[in-house]
Amino acid sequence: MKKIVLVILIALSACQHDEPKTNCDVDDPINNVPWLKQKVQEIESSQSRQAYTVYKVKYNGETGFYISFCCAACNMIVLFYHCDGTSTPVSDFSQMETIATLWKPEDYKCLY
């Protein structure tokens, strides 16, 4: 009987597993999320790189990323990037909460 119980317990424990991490759960998204790493590399090679900042945010209760471009004279659509890299236009910026600044150049400045 003890052997049967032991086999059942082992079988049940093998079925239990942790949920896989999403791109939002990694320790270093800039280096460990391929699509985000590629975007930052593109930003770093652009002439306007000093105006960008990458944030980990919560928007409408969902964790994701926001790539900010500081330009007072620019008319831009603000995008929320989901963990998988797809984006959604932000309709209500007040619903976005910053969790952490992930990347910002040392020579950061807003463009005019």
Side-chain angles (χ1 to χ4, degrees):
M1 182 69 172
K2 288 182 182 180
K3 289 181 181 179
I4 293 173
V5 171
L6 182 61
V7 169
I8 292 173
L9 287 174
I10 291 171
L12 288 175
S13 67
C15 293
Q16 297 173 357
H17 56 83
D18 294 332
E19 290 294 316
K21 286 186 171 185
T22 68
N23 285 338
C24 291
D25 295 330
V26 298
D27 290 331
D28 183 4
I30 296 296
N31 291 307
N32 295 318
V33 176
W35 67 263
L36 187 58
K37 182 176 184 174
Q38 181 180 352
K39 286 205 177 284
V40 171
Q41 287 171 341
E42 291 168 7
I43 291 168
E44 287 177 326
S45 65
S46 75
Q47 291 182 347
S48 56
R49 62 174 283 294
Q50 73 273 9
Y52 283 92
T53 307
V54 179
Y55 298 98
K56 183 175 183 179
V57 298
K58 224 175 237 259
Y59 177 63
N60 287 336
E62 181 182 349
T63 301
F65 305 100
Y66 167 52
I67 300 173
S68 170
F69 181 70
C70 187
C71 177
C74 299
N75 187 12
M76 299 182 62
I77 296 173
V78 174
L79 297 175
F80 169 78
Y81 289 89
H82 302 272
C83 296
D84 64 2
T86 59
S87 62
T88 301
V90 173
S91 58
D92 184 359
F93 202 74
S94 70
Q95 296 297 313
M96 189 177 289
E97 172 190 344
T98 300
I99 296 171
T101 301
L102 300 176
W103 181 88
K104 189 175 193 175
E106 289 182 21
D107 60 343
Y108 175 82
K109 69 177 181 178
C110 204
L111 303 177
Y112 296 100

